[in-house]
Amino acid sequence: NAGVTQTPKFQVLKTGQSMTLQCAQDMNHNSMYWYRQDPGMGLRLIYYSASEGTTDKGEVPNGYNVSRLNKREFSLRLESAAPSQTSVYFCASSDGAGFLADYGYTFGSGTRLTVV
Amino acid sequence: AQTVTQSQPEMSVQEAETVTLSCTYDTSESDYYLFWYKQPPSRQMILVIRQEAYKQQNATENRFSVNFQKAAKSFSLKISDSQLGDAAMYFCAFRTQGGSEKLVFGKGTKLTVNP
């Protein structure tokens, strides 16, 4: 099925460990996004990529890095995990400035990350 | 910067009744899109309804409709004939037209449907 695939779905890390969250979309979308969701905070943008080869910071980028590997894939890396990064992470894609952009985003199913 | 405010952290409704979720936003843009997303316990983000700012007519999708008041920067969601499956977190979101098309979300409203 077409959509956005995130891996893993669940992860527990120790403080200081590193990991990469993977995201891939097969809809030929130009733009991809990483959000984190915390209770009472809604979804906040971490990083985004408006097109292949470009990335930009969102609202809460500290402690994260991203890579837009190609048009399909957009990964999020935690270099040294901290308990404050315990959250649910969502990847999303959209058609960028294309006609379908006004239909919003297509979201992955999320990754629940716990840092102990 | 655009902001989205959902003033009701939690709402409840009886099955088959109608409930309205509130959303206000702040922007200096004239062209933009507004969305309501539903997040059930499965965590999946599901688009419920969208509204283009240039359209005066309020959007409707089956039992879901919006009351879009552009001058007041208000975008409420009405759910008619509420069903148990409507229980979820609901997020209001805003996106400007063009540019990087970032979605800005409100903090969400948790809707409980009582049988």
Side-chain angles (χ1 to χ4, degrees):
Chain A
N1 292 334
V4 177
T5 302
Q6 281 183 242
T7 56
K9 294 189 183 305
F10 300 93
Q11 184 70 49
V12 178
L13 289 179
K14 293 182 179 179
T15 298
Q17 287 185 320
S18 62
M19 80 160 296
T20 300
L21 279 63
Q22 306 287 351
C23 177
Q25 53 91 8
D26 57 6
M27 296 167 289
N28 203 36
H29 283 170
N30 290 313
S31 302
M32 299 185 73
Y33 313 82
W34 277 105
Y35 284 85
R36 61 178 287 174
Q37 181 182 10
D38 302 292
M41 298 298 292
L43 280 77
R44 294 180 293 170
L45 183 64
I46 305 171
Y47 269 95
Y48 66 99
S49 171
S51 62
E52 185 179 357
T54 68
T55 60
D56 285 288
K57 295 178 180 179
E59 180 184 356
V60 289
N62 291 343
Y64 305 95
N65 285 300
V66 291
S67 295
R68 184 74 183 267
L69 304 171
N70 47 56
K71 192 171 185 178
R72 290 187 63 247
E73 299 173 287
F74 188 40
S75 62
L76 178 71
R77 183 163 178 82
L78 287 70
E79 291 291 351
S80 179
S84 61
Q85 294 178 304
T86 294
S87 188
V88 177
Y89 291 85
F90 284 96
C91 178
S93 70
S94 78
D95 198 36
F99 171 73
L100 293 178
D102 61 351
Y103 284 82
Y105 291 4
T106 300
F107 284 86
S109 57
T111 297
R112 180 174 292 279
L113 175 67
T114 302
V115 183
V116 298
Chain B
Q2 290 85 6
T3 59
V4 177
T5 301
Q6 293 179 249
S7 59
Q8 307 152 316
E10 296 186 17
M11 292 283 285
S12 64
V13 64
Q14 292 296 125
E15 195 175 4
E17 294 188 347
T18 296
V19 64
T20 298
L21 307 184
S22 301
C23 174
T24 59
Y25 58 94
D26 187 24
T27 184
S28 58
E29 303 287 336
S30 58
D31 293 324
Y32 50 86
Y33 298 94
L34 294 159
F35 305 86
W36 278 98
Y37 280 89
K38 172 184 178 181
Q39 186 183 44
S42 68
R43 209 167 63 198
Q44 187 66 39
M45 295 291 287
I46 302 166
L47 179 63
V48 174
I49 198 166
R50 65 182 182 89
Q51 174 80 43
E52 295 95 329
Y54 64 87
K55 289 187 177 179
Q56 294 186 339
Q57 185 174 6
N58 290 324
T60 299
E61 290 286 344
N62 300 314
R63 297 181 296 106
F64 298 87
S65 62
V66 299
N67 183 5
F68 174 49
Q69 302 288 329
K70 191 172 184 179
K73 297 180 181 175
S74 172
F75 183 61
S76 60
L77 175 69
K78 185 172 81 171
I79 306 174
S80 304
D81 185 25
S82 297
Q83 300 176 0
L84 295 177
D86 295 332
M89 284 291 292
Y90 286 83
F91 293 99
C92 179
F94 168 100
R95 181 181 73 77
T96 56
Q97 186 178 39
S100 59
E101 306 87 40
K102 299 187 294 291
L103 268 179
V104 177
F105 288 86
K107 294 183 177 181
T109 297
K110 182 180 181 181
L111 178 66
T112 301
V113 181
N114 300 309

